[in-house]
Amino acid sequence: MVLYSDSELAQILDKDIFHLVGEAADALGVECYVVGGYVRDIFLQRPSNDIDVVVVGSGIEVAKEVKKRLGRKAHLSVFKNFGTAQVKDHDMELEFVGARRESYSHDSRKPIVEDGTLEDDQNRRDFTINACAICLNRQRFGELVDPFDGIYDMEDGIIRTPLDPDITFSDDPLRMMRCVRFATQLRFDIEPETFDALTRNAERLKIISGERISDELNKIMLSAHPSTGFDYLYRSGLLAIILPELTALDDVAVQNGRAHKNNYYHTMEVLENVCARSENLWLRWAALLHDIGKMKVRRWDNGVGWTFHNHNYVGAKMVPQIFRRLKLPLDAKMKYVEKLVDLHMRPIVIADEVVTDSAVRRLINDAGEDIDDLMTLCEADITSKNAGRKKQFLENFRMVREKLADLKEKDYKRLLQPVIDGNEIMQLFDLKPSREVGDLKKALKDAVLDNVVPNEREPLMQLLMEKAREMGISTTPPSDAS
């Protein structure tokens, strides 16, 4: 964070595009200001190419004048219904809007918009750090207008609303998600009264669409330390509305004096471990949801204590429900998360026992191209406070990775896929797609994975015939076979 004087801001904005915008506004006799995130990021020394310009008058008319001055190379888009316009010039985007004031009804986040002053426009901004404006008109070029001391909130690392936070959040509940997102991305604290307003208005989030919520949630997930954001979401009550399956993990049961670990805080630790290793958004989602099924399968066993049998399978079945509710993509990305949640216990089971070639072959077969991401998730899942046990797990994981590397060098896809496929099985025995065909395919695959026979045609054909006879399938070629 750097504090700049007006003269220093004028030097920072001493670029052709800003002078051109100011000249266009002067030609039309209106005030114009660069506002919002671009100004914030100047003080925070963060890169930004998206420029928001507020005009005390018609933003569309100023945008048209800017386009005329830039010439044919620039592209103008006008959105009359919203009173906005966009000018694109190479890799730079400028958004123009007229200064406005807004009023809201209780059941919608869509405001009633009227023309307003710069003060009106700054009053409607979500946070003080986003309410700063810098004048672009020639006579006042570089002058900062900061009525809510946003630059000092940046200096102190605080997220605060310009006006009453209850009104700010009730008017547009999505601002609550943005509040947490900015605090997480910028590593700022949420000012106490603003945080209390999150709690008081949490229920208002229910009027926001899943797409809007998931967009902010993904930005939190992609930050350096998303667990900070989830802490704010949880303590404010927002997380219980967005992901009640996750807050349900914060429940530690005790039986006969024995308690299991807190699976919510374990999940946050796993998420942070994954984030330290990967920026893959969907791998981070897999970390967030990897234990989501535990509360549904939690049982007490007098012999072994607390168990969570098949929580991976149950959790994988919950993934599509969660993605559908949050309007997250229901395509290959969801399937990827579902697969990793389902398989996340497999490497741990292998690493807890003797690391055999057969077990690793099966793991490769089931995980496919996602095997490396699965291993990253499973290594992140080792959060045991028992240093000796943790060391042993990680050592065994190293052995698993070595075997994975060996098999990859040998072209594991060629080695692990039997040379006799389902179509040939159906032709050999005159069968239609059926359970019998699946059982025969599985017998061949198991034999290859367990290294019972080499992946060669002759020994596999012999095994296939033996298995077919055991199942009562005729091994006599069909009459029309040639």
Side-chain angles (χ1 to χ4, degrees):
M1 165 66 194
V2 178
L3 293 174
Y4 295 108
S5 65
D6 287 355
S7 60
E8 289 171 325
L9 289 174
Q11 289 179 348
I12 293 170
L13 295 181
D14 187 17
K15 300 174 183 177
D16 290 345
I17 187 62
F18 292 117
H19 287 294
L20 187 148
V21 171
E23 289 166 4
D26 285 337
L28 295 172
V30 294
E31 296 176 20
C32 75
Y33 302 82
V34 59
V35 298
Y38 192 87
V39 176
R40 178 197 68 222
D41 289 341
I42 288 175
F43 288 97
L44 295 179
Q45 297 184 298
R46 301 170 78 218
S48 180
N49 286 325
D50 297 335
I51 304 168
D52 292 330
V53 176
V54 163
V55 176
V56 185
S58 173
I60 292 176
E61 291 305 313
V62 173
K64 288 179 178 178
E65 182 67 21
V66 168
K67 162 66 173 76
K68 185 168 69 174
R69 291 167 182 258
L70 286 172
R72 292 182 180 179
K73 63 181 180 177
H75 177 74
L76 171 67
S77 300
V78 175
F79 309 97
K80 287 186 178 180
N81 289 344
F82 299 96
T84 64
Q86 180 188 76
V87 176
K88 286 188 178 182
D89 183 38
H90 298 295
D91 62 343
M92 194 167 337
E93 292 185 7
L94 295 95
E95 300 280 350
F96 292 84
V97 64
R100 59 193 186 183
R101 59 175 176 265
E102 299 174 342
S103 58
Y104 292 80
S105 61
H106 189 72
D107 59 350
S108 172
R109 62 180 291 266
K110 294 181 180 179
I112 298 169
V113 179
E114 301 173 279
D115 292 341
T117 64
L118 175 65
E119 181 183 3
D120 291 328
D121 202 87
Q122 289 177 301
N123 286 343
R124 73 178 182 82
R125 298 279 162 175
D126 50 7
F127 307 110
T128 59
I129 63 171
N130 294 333
C132 301
I134 301 174
C135 189
L136 297 181
N137 296 92
R138 185 173 179 274
Q139 291 296 322
R140 298 169 53 210
F141 191 84
E143 179 184 314
L144 176 68
V145 182
D146 181 20
F148 306 109
D149 293 330
I151 59 170
Y152 296 110
D153 284 346
M154 286 184 240
E155 186 176 36
D156 294 337
I158 289 174
I159 303 295
R160 181 170 61 88
T161 59
L163 303 177
D164 184 335
D166 284 304
I167 296 174
T168 298
F169 294 147
S170 181
D171 280 351
D172 184 355
L174 185 63
R175 289 169 175 164
M176 294 188 285
M177 292 297 299
R178 287 169 55 82
C179 177
V180 173
R181 188 247 293 182
F182 282 125
T184 308
Q185 287 179 328
L186 302 177
R187 301 187 191 184
F188 281 13
D189 293 323
I190 299 176
E191 182 262 338
E193 180 56 29
T194 301
F195 180 80
D196 289 343
L198 290 178
T199 304
R200 290 191 293 267
N201 292 277
E203 287 293 318
R204 290 280 291 151
L205 194 66
K206 292 179 179 178
I207 73 169
I208 302 298
S209 69
E211 291 94 339
R212 294 281 189 171
I213 291 173
S214 62
D215 182 56
E216 294 297 329
L217 204 52
N218 282 339
K219 290 174 182 177
I220 292 170
M221 290 283 278
L222 285 170
S223 65
H225 297 285
S227 66
T228 301
F230 281 100
D231 178 57
Y232 281 128
L233 291 173
Y234 188 16
R235 290 192 293 112
S236 65
L238 292 168
L239 190 60
I241 295 168
I242 302 167
L243 268 172
E245 300 91 342
L246 193 60
T247 59
L249 294 178
D250 185 17
D251 180 69
V252 177
V254 180
Q255 182 82 17
N256 296 345
R258 294 175 63 180
H260 58 76
K261 67 185 175 186
N262 186 304
N263 289 298
Y264 174 80
Y265 292 105
H266 163 74
T267 294
M268 291 299 106
E269 191 173 352
V270 174
L271 178 59
E272 286 294 316
N273 289 344
V274 164
C275 291
R277 295 168 172 82
S278 173
E279 294 183 357
N280 181 339
L281 171 63
W282 306 108
L283 178 55
R284 293 181 177 200
W285 268 102
L288 186 73
L289 301 180
H290 80 286
D291 276 349
I292 206 75
K294 276 193 167 179
M295 290 301 100
K296 290 193 174 185
V297 299
R298 179 175 62 183
R299 301 288 185 274
W300 171 260
D301 185 315
N302 287 325
V304 297
W306 289 106
T307 67
F308 301 93
H309 295 316
N310 293 323
H311 74 273
N312 54 308
Y313 173 78
V314 172
K317 294 296 182 185
M318 295 168 66
V319 169
Q321 303 167 18
I322 292 170
F323 270 51
R324 194 171 292 111
R325 187 179 72 235
L326 293 178
K327 299 298 189 292
L328 289 164
L330 303 178
D331 54 13
K333 298 180 180 70
M334 183 201 73
K335 292 292 185 185
Y336 166 90
V337 175
E338 191 176 12
K339 178 201 284 188
L340 263 58
V341 172
D342 188 22
L343 295 179
H344 82 271
M345 292 298 295
R346 289 276 292 283
I348 294 174
V349 171
I350 294 172
D352 202 21
E353 301 169 353
V354 177
V355 182
T356 65
D357 286 351
S358 174
V360 175
R361 284 194 193 96
R362 289 178 176 277
L363 182 63
I364 291 176
N365 179 72
D366 292 340
E369 295 179 354
D370 301 318
I371 184 65
D372 289 332
D373 287 349
L374 178 63
M375 290 300 297
T376 297
L377 172 60
C378 292
E379 287 166 347
D381 198 17
I382 305 303
T383 62
S384 173
K385 300 301 182 283
N386 184 321
R389 182 167 171 76
K390 185 173 184 178
K391 181 179 179 181
Q392 184 62 52
F393 263 121
L394 294 177
E395 174 61 22
N396 284 6
F397 272 131
R398 185 188 62 78
M399 294 170 61
V400 172
R401 281 196 179 273
E402 286 181 358
K403 288 187 181 292
L404 288 170
D406 289 343
L407 282 168
K408 284 182 180 180
E409 287 181 7
K410 296 175 183 176
D411 185 6
Y412 68 80
K413 285 187 176 179
R414 177 179 58 80
L415 288 172
L416 300 184
Q417 294 298 324
V419 295
I420 301 173
D421 64 14
N423 289 328
E424 186 171 1
I425 290 172
M426 287 189 285
Q427 290 175 357
L428 280 169
F429 303 115
D430 193 23
L431 295 172
K432 294 181 178 180
S434 60
R435 181 173 180 177
E436 285 83 358
V437 176
D439 288 344
L440 290 171
K441 284 174 60 180
K442 185 176 185 302
L444 295 185
K445 178 168 276 190
D446 287 347
V448 171
L449 292 174
D450 293 335
N451 208 24
V452 174
V453 296
N455 193 8
E456 298 170 3
R457 186 171 187 78
E458 186 175 339
L460 280 176
M461 186 62 74
Q462 182 178 344
L463 178 64
L464 179 62
M465 292 301 173
E466 292 174 1
K467 184 65 178 176
R469 284 191 287 270
E470 290 176 11
M471 295 170 60
I473 298 172
S474 173
T475 58
T476 304
S479 59
D480 62 346
S482 57

